[in-house]
Amino acid sequence: MLIPHPVVLRNLLDEYEAARTAEAASPADAAGQGRRVQDAAYTLCVLTSTRDVTLAVEAARRLLGTRTAAAPVESPLPVGAPTDVCA
């Protein structure tokens, strides 16, 4: 398995999280922010060899060493949102 460069992965994870925050903060611009979230989610899935954004975020954090094994994994998606955006 290829392992993404940590700087690239960190930047992408930061971009994904920033896009999610912007999407939540500005419902009026949800379409534009939604596309940004989808693009970042898709790229995270590709870089982490996953097909689910929740798993991609978890894998990215694990690869970066930013989450301990005991820490809970919070879903980056709102309740009821589709998790197959990477497919």
Side-chain angles (χ1 to χ4, degrees):
M1 177 175 130
L2 295 175
I3 298 175
H5 191 280
V7 173
V8 172
L9 193 57
R10 166 54 43 209
N11 289 343
L12 183 59
L13 189 57
D14 289 346
E15 170 64 21
Y16 175 76
E17 291 169 347
R20 294 274 308 139
T21 301
E23 181 182 49
S26 178
D29 188 29
Q33 295 301 332
R35 179 63 187 188
R36 187 174 155 210
V37 170
Q38 287 178 345
D39 288 347
Y42 175 81
T43 307
L44 270 173
C45 288
V46 170
L47 290 181
T48 59
S49 300
T50 60
R51 295 182 55 105
D52 179 281
V53 69
T54 303
L55 296 175
V57 169
E58 182 180 343
R61 289 180 178 153
R62 188 174 52 252
L63 286 168
L64 293 169
T66 57
R67 184 180 77 78
T68 64
V73 176
E74 295 180 23
S75 174
L77 299 174
V79 173
T83 59
D84 62 348
V85 295
C86 298

